[in-house]
Amino acid sequence: MPNKKSNRFMPIIMAVCVVVGILIGTFYANHFQGNRLSIINSGSNKLNNLLHIVEGQYVDTVDVNDLVEKAMPQILSELDPHSVYISEKDVQMATDDLRGSFSGVGIEFTIRKDTLHVQKVISNGPAERAGLIAGDKIVRVDGDNFTGKELTNEVAMHRLKGPKDTKVKLGVLRFGEKKEREFTVTRGDIPTRSVTAAYMLDEETGYIRIRNFGENTYPELLIALAKLSQQGVRNLTIDLRGNTGGYLQSAVQIANEFLPKNRLIVYTQGRKSPRQDYTSDGRGSYQTIPLVVLIDEGSASASEILAGAIQDNDRGTVIGRRSFGKGLVQQPFEFNDHSMIRLTIARYYSPSGRCIQKPYVAGDNKDYEEDLMMRYQHGEFFSQDSIKHEGPAYKTRLGRLVYGGGGITPDIFVAEDTTNVTSYYKQAAMSGLIIQFAFEYTDNNRQKLDQYKTLDELVKYLKSLNTVELFAKYGESHGLKRRNLMIQKSHRMLESYINSRIVYNMMSEEAWLMFLNSDDPAIKETLRVFQQDSAFPAPAAKAEPSKRAA
């Protein structure tokens, strides 16, 4: 019996192979401009024939298109961890974040208890012009119910986004009201910002946070630099922590702003992609400003290109923890139905010759996906000596040793602060209860919180509330057992996390970052470096041999 069952599904399994011939043989050969690939005719014909046999002779009706959709991700996963298929319905979501704008209603939302809550309203955006405010609950869209377990972030974005100048009717419940209000919102262009903060850490030190590298990141950076220049900036910190990357060209443009002429920024090379060098043109306006770049394990791809260019050219100091290690170059290929694949065509190399990509096994992504967890368990987040470098050492322009084999290792290591972490704190944070409490508290007290117009005023008020005690009671009522000694030990961390979320709900992302940075070890280390005039690493400074992998 088991053999018969296996034989029954063999045609479906074989049909997966058909996708290779159909999508690569037919589509690539006929559709892509400048990216045509030749496929062996005999193999292509065989796969096409197999597809026709399955479609015509299989015992049950087969949806070939559905088969193809399900097979595409599996096929690409056999290549590397970053070659991916994006279905038609997901393409817009996958690309909106890196574009300069998208068309929608202009709100930031969160889903709580099967209901969409408006967390922020974009200033002068369509929703604000229509009359929506933060705290509103959207319960109906174009007359249809918009609540329940089926409501997900993807469903919400699909319903609220849409072509510019199209209208959508929203049924809204406002705090303290039982009667539903109706608003008609005309969708419009919503800007997506990748430079989310630019302010002065002290009288001389500017700080710029880059969330990702999109179409408008470089002009946004120039605006931020101009703003800081007017405030007398003499030192600069660029924060790339948690920045998962984006467009190569944006990273190259930004690196060019800080490097002298004819400095290699990055180069790419692949089997079918000849080496391509990206070098600075000497036109940057900030070629001599003392510079620090912050990275961590969440910094990837374009972030690593920028950090690697600064480090290998000895242009500034890289501070934080080893970056993610994503150094594969993807090129998008769009299909007739507007779905697409991002296919790896080359690798990134830093100026010293380091391959940024961490090791992986083709077709087996488990260890790759669990790499950060393994780093954590190995102790890499807490001790520089625990960093395992794969491969040889390389030299920067001034002769300092740097290492390849996965990510950018910082010049100055800053451990993750776990001094006062307790099991209570971990459960409170990982369960989402802190974020849930902060949102509900904000939602129930917006009128009161609105009275505080500056960050200092709001933080002072929150401290007077003892939000940790308020959360402890909330957590206990939601299944988190109260642990007084643990709460006391983790009090500072709990207070910072809780208050930061309330600040985020009530103010801008810049204000939120200002609050977090005020007690951030990496920021403190950054200011120490500038105070010692050591933002330019000295030629003699070398990584200790003991820090190489055994």
Side-chain angles (χ1 to χ4, degrees), residues 14-88:
M14 293 174 68
V16 172
C17 300
V18 174
V19 181
V20 178
I22 297 297
L23 297 178
I24 298 180
T26 304
F27 186 79
Y28 278 21
N30 297 328
H31 184 72
F32 298 132
Q33 296 179 356
N35 296 294
R36 290 186 173 85
L37 302 175
S38 59
I39 305 298
I40 299 173
N41 289 331
S42 60
S44 179
N45 290 336
K46 187 174 183 179
L47 291 170
N48 276 287
N49 289 338
L50 177 58
L51 180 61
H52 287 304
I53 292 171
V54 170
E55 188 175 30
Q57 302 298 324
Y58 184 62
V59 61
D60 296 321
T61 301
V62 177
D63 186 338
V64 176
N65 290 331
D66 186 55
L67 248 170
V68 169
E69 289 292 310
K70 291 177 179 177
M72 286 287 283
Q74 296 298 320
I75 293 169
L76 293 171
S77 70
E78 293 297 316
L79 303 177
D80 67 80
H82 298 292
S83 289
V84 295
Y85 171 69
I86 305 173
S87 65
E88 179 189 4

Side-chain angles (χ1 to χ4, degrees), residues 103-104 126 129 162-168 185-189:
S103 181
R129 290 195 293 269
K164 184 179 180 180
D165 295 329
T166 57
K167 298 182 184 298
V168 58
V185 182
T186 302
R187 297 182 180 96
D189 290 333

Side-chain angles (χ1 to χ4, degrees), residues 86 259 303 332:
I86 305 173
L259 292 173
S303 293

Side-chain angles (χ1 to χ4, degrees), residues 268-284:
T268 62
Q269 193 167 13
R271 183 177 67 91
K272 292 288 187 178
S273 300
R275 172 167 170 161
Q276 182 173 358
D277 290 356
Y278 297 83
T279 57
S280 56
D281 60 16
R283 297 179 181 176

Side-chain angles (χ1 to χ4, degrees), residues 234 257-258 285-291 315 536:
R234 298 184 65 179
E257 195 65 25
F258 300 103
S285 300
Y286 297 86
Q287 296 179 34
T288 59
I289 189 170
L291 183 63
R315 176 57 187 86
F536 294 92

Side-chain angles (χ1 to χ4, degrees), residues 307-379:
I310 297 302
Q311 186 178 60
D312 285 5
N313 283 290
D314 296 293
R315 176 57 187 86
T317 303
V318 178
I319 295 177
R321 294 187 291 276
R322 181 162 69 110
S323 62
F324 181 84
K326 195 272 186 185
L328 297 177
V329 184
Q330 282 73 53
Q331 182 168 333
F333 296 97
E334 184 178 358
F335 296 103
N336 286 324
D337 66 352
H338 302 299
S339 62
M340 65 185 293
I341 65 170
R342 288 177 178 162
L343 185 70
T344 298
I345 61 167
R347 288 181 172 85
Y348 292 121
Y349 295 87
S350 73
S352 66
R354 290 182 286 172
C355 179
I356 295 171
Q357 179 63 39
K358 62 186 176 184
Y360 65 90
V361 177
D364 183 6
N365 294 337
K366 183 180 179 183
D367 286 348
Y368 188 85
E369 292 170 351
E370 295 177 355
D371 176 64
L372 293 185
M373 180 58 68
M374 288 189 287
R375 287 196 209 178
Y376 182 89
Q377 293 172 347
H378 184 67

Side-chain angles (χ1 to χ4, degrees), residues 194-195 214-226 250 253-254:
S194 50
V195 175
E215 289 180 356
N216 292 336
T217 305
Y218 179 56
E220 286 180 30
L221 177 86
L222 294 180
I223 292 171
L225 286 169
S250 292
Q253 288 174 319
I254 291 172

